[in-house]
Amino acid sequence: MQENIKTAHPYLRVFPEPEQVFADPVARHAKHLLPCVSIELSAVNPSWEGWIHMVLPAEPLGGYVGDYGADYHNEYLAPNWLAFRLTESGHYQLLGDFRFFELENIAEDGADGIRTEVAKHCETQHRVFKETRDIYRRTGLLHSALSRDEARDVASEEPANILTRLGGGAFNGNWCDSEGVGVDESDPDSAVPIGPNGERFEFIASLEGHDYLASGATTLLFYHPETRVALLTFDWS
């Protein structure tokens, strides 16, 4: 297990391009999901090959991602859970309907103007992500998106963690209480998501979403190598 990784390593690709991360339709994936770090799987388990990806959703504006997509929930896509098939080429394919995302399932603004508000929120998330990415590409360090200020001197700042943890076990937190995907919490130092057929997922990595976006949570990535399913969940504590 490694903790608080602040610099790039050969087994990490920081801010990969969407074409390196997503299967077709690439643009539709990238509309909702922002690629932060790709991780060589052998860095977690030497018997594994290929790359897996830490991505962040632009949503939610409030609550959990997927809260407003009940008609499009399934055994993996549920409030506070995102799931992808890792293709043989190493790309993510969303395991479900894109209307799981609120921005796609709100057809038009009602009196509350919620679609406009969600769209504005997502635009801000993309803008801040791009700013964070550009600073990283210029300096080689991740400078947190928190308290973004055009006049700030990033050279004087302590860099943020690219990943807060790589390998080992996942902490028990409020992510374990999210409905839709079962979690084995019997080991207090290593909570494990359980798939619909009893498959036990393995922890890959975590990062702080608010270091990459205008708003975000602690994000945890899990993987099941036999089904090639990648699971993401979010701890808001």
Side-chain angles (χ1 to χ4, degrees), residues 19-146:
E19 292 79 9
Q20 295 177 291
V21 173
F22 301 121
D24 287 332
V26 174
R28 199 171 186 188
H29 281 91
K31 174 182 177 182
H32 302 287
L33 302 156
L34 298 154
C36 298
V37 188
S38 295
I39 302 162
E40 194 167 19
L41 282 165
S42 61
V44 178
N45 186 324
S47 67
W48 293 345
E49 296 180 349
W51 294 79
I52 197 168
H53 316 287
M54 293 287 295
V55 302
L56 293 175
E59 298 178 19
L61 174 59
Y64 288 150
V65 64
D67 268 350
Y68 301 96
D71 290 343
Y72 308 103
H73 293 169
N74 59 34
E75 57 196 8
Y76 288 119
L77 285 184
N80 212 41
W81 293 94
L82 282 169
F84 306 90
R85 183 81 63 197
L86 187 63
T87 69
E88 291 299 326
S89 63
H91 294 83
Y92 271 2
Q93 181 72 59
L94 184 70
L95 269 180
D97 195 304
F98 281 95
R99 288 174 291 181
F100 172 81
F101 296 105
E102 186 176 8
L103 192 59
E104 294 225 11
N105 67 49
I106 302 176
E108 58 186 25
D109 261 346
D112 57 2
I114 189 64
R115 192 182 195 286
T116 296
E117 292 304 309
V118 173
K120 287 180 178 178
H121 170 78
C122 291
E123 288 172 4
T124 298
Q125 294 282 68
H126 278 268
R127 175 180 57 77
V128 173
F129 177 81
K130 182 178 182 298
E131 291 170 356
T132 307
R133 182 197 66 194
D134 291 349
I135 291 171
Y136 176 84
R137 290 179 175 175
R138 187 172 72 247
T139 66
L141 295 170
L142 181 67
H143 291 277
S144 178
L146 281 174

Side-chain angles (χ1 to χ4, degrees), residues 56-60 121 125 145-146 207-219 234-237:
L56 293 175
E59 298 178 19
H121 170 78
Q125 294 282 68
L146 281 174
L207 58 71
E208 295 298 337
H210 56 68
D211 286 332
Y212 289 83
L213 304 178
S215 63
T218 301
T219 303
F234 311 91
D235 191 90
W236 294 90
S237 55

Side-chain angles (χ1 to χ4, degrees), residues 75-76 181 194-199 201:
E75 57 196 8
Y76 288 119
V181 176
I194 306 296
N197 298 308
E199 56 269 35
F201 282 77

